[in-house]
Amino acid sequence: MDAFLDRRGGALIGGGVLLVVALLVGLLFMGGQTSRILSTVGGSVTNQGSGTGSDSGDQSSTGSGSGSGSGSGSGSGGQVADAAAAVPALLIVRTGELTLQVPDLDTALRDGGAAVIRAGGYISGSSRTSDDGHASAQVTYRIPSAAWEATLSLLHGMGSATISEQIKTEEVTGQVVDLTAHIANLRTTEAALQAIMAKATKISDVLDVQEQLTTTRGEIEKLVADKTHLEERASYGSLAVTYRLPVAPTPTMTPRPAKGWDPGDDVARASGKLVMIGQTTTSIGIWLAIVGLPVVIGAALLALAVWQVTRFGRWLIRRREGIVEPGV
């Protein structure tokens, strides 16, 4: 009986040992498989972006439809991710208007342009005006975004006074990211259409694909131009500066103190008035003598002629009626 129990106990112990060993082996095997699966997934994720070109190429070379669809999807996602990663962290469009009072226009224009050029910018436009002696000059500077603040401080230092200032900023990073992703998707579509056109055999199919390809290329060119414009505006801020000369003060007339009564002044003014009246009367007499007399003589002669004509007419009438003898 004791021997049987000893044999049974030994068997149980041996079985337990074997079970523990089997569990350890199983855990080791599963750990190796898990590591291999994780490494495979990691490798596929890492190579997803780089697989864009190969997947696009496989669309034209691989005959299976599933492989082409898979490659197109992963390629599009990789292009979008690469495009988003290529955009800088922050894109800000800066615009502003600044009015400065300066002692000399020529010096201000020269020093302001030199400061902007040293910062890597340039002058995009300028003009000068002079109205009623108030001369001014307007200049538009394009300043690199990295040197915006420093250049603005230099321009402030050139003016004797800042009359007005207005600065605006607009963050356009999101717009550039959206445009970049859209361009990447359209380029993937363009590559797919080119692959389809290469395999098309019917003229109608070629024409349809060519129309879609032309539309896609037009959209790509428009979006690329919009993206380039935004990036250029973000790279170079626009600052419109107006330089003005100091306004000369308007002279004010000092009122004379009020005078008291002065008899001599009254006599002088009365004498002047009398002289003026005499001069006026004399002028009227001269005009009447030179202009009025001939007019009066002419009027008298005209009246006499009219009277004579009237008298002669009456005489003729009386003669016809027999009132006056012909010999009279």
Side-chain angles (χ1 to χ4, degrees):
M1 185 66 180
D2 295 335
F4 176 74
L5 292 175
D6 291 338
R7 286 196 301 273
R8 185 176 181 181
L12 291 174
I13 293 172
V17 172
L18 292 175
L19 181 60
V20 171
V21 172
L23 289 174
L24 292 174
V25 172
L27 290 174
L28 292 174
F29 180 78
M30 292 178 65
Q33 292 291 335
T34 304
S35 300
R36 285 195 296 273
I37 291 172
L38 291 176
S39 64
T40 303
V41 173
S44 63
V45 171
T46 303
N47 296 327
Q48 184 175 4
S50 62
T52 304
S54 61
D55 290 338
S56 300
D58 292 338
Q59 288 182 354
S60 59
S61 61
T62 305
S64 66
S66 62
S68 299
S70 166
S72 176
S74 63
S76 176
Q79 286 183 354
V80 173
D82 293 342
V87 178
L90 193 63
L91 293 175
I92 298 177
V93 176
R94 295 175 174 85
T95 57
E97 296 179 358
L98 181 64
T99 303
L100 299 174
Q101 180 177 300
V102 295
D104 183 71
L105 284 181
D106 294 332
T107 303
L109 291 172
R110 183 181 63 251
D111 294 345
V116 171
I117 293 174
R118 281 196 304 269
Y122 60 93
I123 300 172
S124 64
S126 63
S127 63
R128 296 184 67 163
T129 58
S130 180
D131 186 13
D132 295 335
H134 303 295
S136 63
Q138 296 78 31
V139 186
T140 301
Y141 298 122
R142 301 303 305 274
I143 305 172
S145 58
W148 176 270
E149 297 297 337
T151 306
L152 190 61
S153 299
L154 289 176
L155 293 175
H156 274 291
M158 290 188 303
S160 57
T162 300
I163 299 176
S164 65
E165 180 180 5
Q166 183 179 10
I167 305 297
K168 295 181 181 180
T169 59
E170 179 184 2
E171 200 269 326
V172 295
T173 308
Q175 300 179 36
V176 175
V177 171
D178 293 341
L179 289 173
T180 305
H182 200 178
I183 292 170
N185 288 332
L186 288 175
R187 282 176 175 165
T188 301
T189 303
E190 181 186 18
L193 290 173
Q194 289 174 345
I196 294 173
M197 177 177 286
K199 297 179 181 180
T201 57
K202 296 182 179 180
I203 296 179
S204 59
D205 295 341
V206 172
L207 293 177
D208 291 340
V209 175
Q210 180 64 36
E211 181 179 359
Q212 297 181 15
L213 190 60
T214 302
T215 302
T216 302
R217 285 174 177 171
E219 293 179 359
I220 291 174
E221 292 176 358
K222 179 181 181 301
L223 294 179
V224 168
D226 293 341
K227 176 175 175 286
T228 303
H229 179 65
L230 282 177
E231 291 175 341
E232 196 273 338
R233 290 181 59 200
S235 299
Y236 286 85
S238 178
L239 182 63
V241 181
T242 301
Y243 300 103
R244 292 182 181 176
L245 294 176
V247 179
T250 303
T252 57
M253 297 181 63
T254 304
R256 292 182 298 177
K259 294 182 179 181
W261 180 68
D262 186 2
D265 188 20
D266 291 342
V267 170
R269 285 189 296 168
S271 301
K273 183 66 69 175
L274 181 60
V275 171
M276 184 180 298
I277 294 173
Q279 290 176 350
T280 304
T281 305
T282 304
S283 298
I284 293 174
I286 293 173
W287 276 88
L288 289 175
I290 297 176
V291 178
L293 185 60
V295 171
V296 171
I297 295 174
L301 293 175
L302 180 62
L304 180 60
V306 172
W307 178 75
Q308 289 292 340
V309 171
T310 304
R311 182 183 177 188
F312 181 72
R314 289 177 180 177
W315 180 80
L316 289 176
I317 293 172
R318 292 174 65 184
R319 180 180 178 184
R320 289 177 183 177
E321 292 177 353
I323 299 174
V324 179
E325 293 296 332
V328 178

